[in-house]
Amino acid sequence: MSKPKVLITGASKGLGLAMAKVLNNDYCLILHASKTENITQFREGNHILAADLSNNEELKDFCKKLKSEHGDELYAIINNAGIALDKPLTFQPEKEIDKMLAVNLKAPIMISKTAFKIFGLKNKGVIINVSSCVAETGNAFQSVYAATKAGLIAFSKSLAKEAAALNQGHEIRVLSISPGFIATPMTYAIPESEKEKYLKMIPAQRFGKADEIAETVAFLLSEKAAYINGSNIDINGGLF
Ligand SMILES: NC(=O)c1ccc[n+]([C@@H]2O[C@H](COP(=O)([O-])OP(=O)(O)OC[C@H]3O[C@@H](n4cnc5c(N)ncnc54)[C@H](OP(=O)(O)O)[C@@H]3O)[C@@H](O)[C@H]2O)c1
């Protein structure tokens, strides 16, 4: 029997790459990055579907291909690709605001729309949206980023209810996860002084590992998590 297919957006590095490593044995992966050549690992036996998610035409084409090339065997999608362009709001150019809204919020919504149609036909499927701890706590100089991530939590909860309202519900689950500070290329750029400040807020007294997020995702995709739906799962070492 062929393995169920799982889409991971932003699978070239960081959390998405760690998810690819952990999920590689159990699923056939559809690995996404902004460019095909950015996917350098886990290509064998899997599929690559590239698109710059800040580009509306590429996003539309991506959704079309996801449906036509992978719709039959699609079991789950993980909307993981994201960007953080940290800046005081008054200095944030509109272009950067649009880009964060497009990549972090519009793209997951459009990709979920495609997947939700597919899952509706089979009455089965899982959507995991990667939010962030700052969606719940707020963070200076990340107001737009935090807004996009908070949007993902509300979107996930609403879509989980919509599956039930459409009577499609019982095996369609929509979740979000909110990682805390995890060591990935996204957080390498944080200055040491800032990192010290964040560490003081984390009872675990360390940044998380990408694998710790990936293992949680693997559990959430599995049948063992069949009763977890609409939830936002914090994975943050107790961050407050
Ligand atoms: N690291 C953390 O501490 C942390 C905490 C909370 C939430 N998160 C969230 O977790 C997710 C993964 O973060 P990460 O730390 O793994 O980030 P990362 O190392 O910077 O990786 C980001 C991924 O997103 C893709 N991406 C970025 N812009 C894109 C675009 N315009 N079109 C298509 N793909 C694009 C990148 O693909 P390319 O290589 O092709 O650019 C890359 O695969 C993000 O949504 C982030 O907001 C991270």
Side-chain angles (χ1 to χ4, degrees):
M1 213 175 79
S2 56
K3 292 179 186 172
K5 287 185 178 174
V6 174
L7 166 72
I8 307 170
T9 69
S12 58
K13 56 189 176 192
L15 301 188
L17 179 60
M19 290 173 201
K21 185 177 79 178
V22 168
L23 301 178
N24 191 35
N25 284 337
D26 294 332
Y27 301 97
C28 174
L29 303 176
I30 305 159
L31 301 168
H32 158 272
S34 59
K35 296 190 185 94
T36 303
E37 60 269 28
N38 291 0
I39 299 291
T40 57
Q41 296 185 55
F42 307 108
R43 295 172 73 112
E44 205 183 315
N46 294 318
H47 303 269
I48 298 172
L49 205 50
D52 176 352
L53 299 179
S54 67
N55 178 315
N56 206 36
E57 290 310 309
E58 289 196 31
L59 172 62
K60 275 193 209 164
D61 192 48
F62 176 86
C63 290
K64 259 191 210 155
K65 285 185 179 150
L66 180 66
K67 186 164 181 250
S68 63
E69 295 174 16
H70 304 292
D72 285 351
E73 289 154 321
L74 193 68
Y75 166 64
I77 61 164
I78 306 163
N79 282 310
N80 163 74
I83 42 164
L85 303 169
D86 301 354
K87 220 161 267 176
L89 183 62
T90 46
F91 291 100
Q92 188 119 54
E94 188 178 354
K95 237 178 156 175
E96 289 188 2
I97 295 172
D98 285 343
K99 191 163 184 180
M100 280 189 278
L101 288 168
V103 176
N104 296 358
L105 191 56
K106 184 173 179 187
I109 290 173
M110 297 308 290
I111 298 167
S112 297
K113 180 178 172 184
T114 303
F116 200 66
K117 276 189 203 159
I118 296 167
F119 297 162
L121 298 172
K122 316 178 202 183
N123 235 328
K124 192 177 177 74
V126 184
I127 296 175
I128 298 180
N129 290 308
V130 181
S131 177
S132 166
C133 59
V134 302
E136 299 165 290
T137 62
N139 201 20
F141 315 125
Q142 286 198 318
S143 58
V144 179
Y145 174 77
T148 62
K149 294 299 184 178
L152 281 182
I153 297 176
F155 173 68
S156 306
K157 286 185 184 300
S158 302
L159 199 58
K161 290 192 173 175
E162 197 163 308
L166 293 172
N167 210 10
Q168 300 180 325
H170 65 287
E171 283 198 61
I172 297 177
R173 296 185 292 124
V174 189
L175 303 153
S176 58
I177 59 168
S178 290
F181 290 92
I182 315 299
T184 70
M186 186 180 269
T187 48
Y188 296 159
I190 300 174
E192 281 306 316
S193 56
E194 284 289 299
K195 283 187 184 168
E196 290 298 321
K197 199 179 81 187
Y198 291 133
L199 279 174
K200 288 197 179 104
M201 299 189 291
I202 306 171
Q205 295 192 342
R206 64 172 176 85
F207 277 23
K209 298 174 196 150
D211 283 358
E212 292 173 310
I213 305 302
E215 292 290 355
T216 308
V217 165
F219 170 72
L220 292 173
L221 287 181
S222 76
E223 286 298 321
K224 291 176 194 159
Y227 206 54
I228 305 178
N229 192 11
S231 314
N232 176 56
I233 312 291
D234 292 314
I235 316 160
N236 60 22
L239 180 91
F240 55 88

